[in-house]
Amino acid sequence: MKKSIDERMFDALMFWTIVTGIFAWLPLVRILGRPEGYRWGILGLSGTGTEGPFWIFVLLTAWALTMLFTTFRGPRSVAYPLLLLWHLALTAVVVAGVVQGGTIATWQGQGLRWAIPLWLLIVPFAGFTVLAALWIARDRRRGGEVDRGEWSRANAVRLAGSLALLVVALILFRAGDNYDWVTAAAILTTIGHWALLVDAIAAAPSGA
């Protein structure tokens, strides 16, 4: 069955929100798995392992999970401001990074050895912020109804699988040296864990 414009907007927005959410959770998992030698920086804050204001990742993860849970399962009145502020904040951080660092400023992931110029990210981050505002306006107009579904066996299986992947990721981080292939495997495992966790939160489709 062909999806409506609202459903397509929601799918795109949730994909981007879930992707950006991993950048709050992943550093915390790395700190829990192997704090020694792990250098991190976010929002002008930085540290090594638990040395520094690493609590920022706890707050961001709590924000992300609350935002996703209330978006998928309600109440949407809580989800709307969390969702819009999340994307506004991310866009502001990217723009501020470009203003301060110029065209050489990058967003880096040292574990997987990637770096993206921040100026390239302004358009997608701003675009999804606009999409968030548009979807929220349209969703409020139609009453913000949420098809929560029942917490099913499928949800429970996904949650259990997600927790199992988290354990594997922590073991891999402990075994790695923060920047080798074992750490890279741990990062990919954490990404899989996050995706499965969000899938568990989302309402199961009918018959799942």
Side-chain angles (χ1 to χ4, degrees), residues 41-179:
I42 186 173
L43 303 175
L45 304 174
S46 60
T48 300
T50 56
E51 296 178 4
F54 74 96
W55 47 263
I56 187 67
F57 297 115
V58 178
L59 294 180
L60 289 174
T61 298
W63 182 351
L65 288 174
T66 303
M67 171 179 62
L68 290 167
F69 185 89
T70 54
T71 299
F72 283 117
R73 292 186 171 270
R76 286 271 170 87
S77 59
V78 174
Y80 294 148
L82 291 175
L83 194 60
L84 186 57
L85 285 173
W86 177 268
H87 291 286
L88 281 171
L90 290 174
T91 303
V93 168
V94 171
V95 172
V98 173
V99 170
Q100 294 175 4
T103 56
I104 62 171
T106 58
W107 188 6
Q108 299 180 16
Q110 296 179 353
L112 294 180
R113 303 177 187 275
W114 57 266
I116 304 174
L118 277 180
W119 66 269
L120 288 177
L121 299 175
I122 291 177
V123 170
F125 274 90
F128 277 101
T129 300
V130 172
L131 179 62
L134 289 174
W135 176 80
I136 289 170
R138 292 173 67 94
D139 196 62
R140 288 186 65 182
R141 248 194 324 266
R142 70 177 187 82
E145 297 178 2
V146 180
D147 181 12
R148 294 179 178 83
E150 297 293 333
W151 182 264
S152 67
R153 182 175 179 275
N155 291 98
V157 169
R158 292 165 190 161
L159 180 59
S162 173
L163 295 176
L165 286 177
L166 177 59
V167 172
V168 172
L170 290 170
I171 293 171
L172 289 173
F173 277 127
R174 185 72 252 172
D177 68 1
N178 281 317
Y179 304 102

Side-chain angles (χ1 to χ4, degrees), residues 10-35:
F10 180 77
D11 288 346
L13 180 60
M14 284 301 97
F15 171 77
W16 186 254
T17 304
I18 292 165
V19 168
T20 54
I22 187 60
F23 292 101
W25 178 231
L26 177 58
L28 186 57
V29 177
R30 292 192 66 171
I31 290 170
L32 292 172
R34 187 180 182 87

